[in-house]
Amino acid sequence: LLLNRGEMTNEPDDRLKFWENRWTAEETPSFHRSQLLAPLIQFEEQLVSAGGSILVPLCGKALEMKYLYDKGHSVVGVEGVETAIERFAKENSIEFTKSTLPGEISGSIFSTVDGRLTIYCCDLFQFSKSLLPENTRISAVLDRGSAVAVKPALRSRYFATIGALLEPDGRYLICLWARDGVADHVPYVIPLSEVESVMGSMGLALIGSRPCGAPDRPPKVIVNHGDETGYLFVPANS
């Protein structure tokens, strides 16, 4: 069953409105977990080994951000819906200071006092290194529920956007879904071979995988998404 509220198009305003509606109606159950991602636990040391900041694109209220922050890492989230950020802050008792994005990009910046956890509320496709504080290095990407939420027509643009943010020595942990048939809805199925090709163009190679386990789903919601697996990519020459 696809939980839908309105149609999602490739236009920025429509994309963000689609997800705003789903967050307002609490129709995002298949993305939420009460347990940390098993692939992150298994590959954490390799993922963060390059130092720098960890990017969580389309982060929602992912509890992995709090986990990594509590372990002393710097985390950068990007999320298009302010409601998601507010819920993340409330559920994790985090105090953010809010400021307006500079320049012509519409959005806000939510940051902890120490600056180690920052979430940018804006259109991901408008996000770039120029918005990051000076000397910030994105050395890792935790991509769970992000690439698979992007319409196929925008996928190449999505990976180009993330690739432009990631440092040459960066690592990339991505979670993909596998299921029978091809369904034209979120979460989209992205063939592993396609991801390997994209990562190869970034100079990254696959070194391991781990099943993610089932996400939390309220009893009233029925979602047939299949199986989710996390894949870790690191510099091919490492």
Side-chain angles (χ1 to χ4, degrees):
L1 172 66
L2 169 62
L3 298 174
N4 195 1
R5 188 164 289 256
E7 292 296 324
M8 179 169 56
T9 73
N10 295 341
E11 296 301 316
D13 290 345
D14 291 336
R15 290 198 313 271
L16 295 179
K17 195 63 179 179
F18 171 86
W19 288 108
E20 285 174 2
N21 288 340
R22 290 192 69 167
W23 275 98
T24 299
E26 298 187 352
E27 292 180 350
T28 58
S30 61
F31 288 94
H32 304 320
R33 293 175 177 272
S34 58
Q35 302 294 323
L36 289 171
L37 280 173
L40 174 60
I41 301 302
Q42 177 170 335
F43 299 124
E44 179 181 350
E45 185 175 341
Q46 293 125 304
L47 183 67
V48 304
S49 62
S53 298
I54 302 160
L55 174 67
V56 186
L58 303 183
C59 59
K61 58 176 187 176
L63 54 85
E64 286 77 17
M65 292 190 292
K66 176 67 160 50
Y67 170 79
L68 291 166
Y69 173 70
D70 285 345
K71 297 198 74 172
H73 302 295
S74 294
V75 181
V76 175
V78 182
E79 171 56 51
V81 181
E82 189 165 315
T83 299
I85 302 171
E86 292 171 345
R87 291 185 187 175
F88 170 75
K90 181 178 180 180
E91 292 175 11
N92 293 282
S93 300
I94 293 176
E95 290 190 18
F96 283 126
T97 57
K98 180 181 178 182
S99 58
T100 302
L101 274 170
E104 300 179 356
I105 298 177
S106 176
S108 303
I109 304 172
F110 294 79
S111 184
T112 53
V113 174
D114 61 9
R116 285 196 301 105
L117 173 54
T118 303
I119 302 179
Y120 293 79
C121 185
C122 64
D123 181 358
L124 176 65
F125 292 123
Q126 294 183 315
F127 190 75
S128 67
K129 284 185 176 181
S130 65
L131 296 176
L132 296 169
E134 189 177 0
N135 299 322
T136 298
R137 298 176 61 257
I138 300 297
S139 62
V141 177
L142 176 57
D143 189 328
R144 195 266 159 176
S146 183
V148 297
V150 175
K151 290 180 70 68
L154 294 170
R155 193 174 295 153
S156 61
R157 184 181 173 191
Y158 170 84
F159 281 120
T161 299
I162 303 300
L165 295 166
L166 186 63
E167 293 293 319
D169 62 345
R171 276 80 170 136
Y172 203 123
L173 178 59
I174 184 170
C175 295
L176 304 175
W177 289 91
R179 60 178 180 266
D180 295 333
V182 177
D184 186 25
H185 63 73
V186 175
Y188 296 103
V189 171
I190 309 177
L192 177 58
S193 58
E194 179 180 336
V195 174
E196 287 185 290
S197 177
V198 170
M199 296 299 161
S201 69
M202 298 182 194
L204 303 177
L206 177 64
I207 65 164
S209 64
R210 172 74 184 269
C212 295
D216 299 339
R217 293 169 184 157
K220 66 180 180 180
V221 179
I222 302 173
V223 187
N224 182 19
H225 285 166
D227 298 317
E228 186 181 23
T229 302
Y231 300 89
L232 179 64
F233 291 83
V234 302
N237 58 1
S238 63

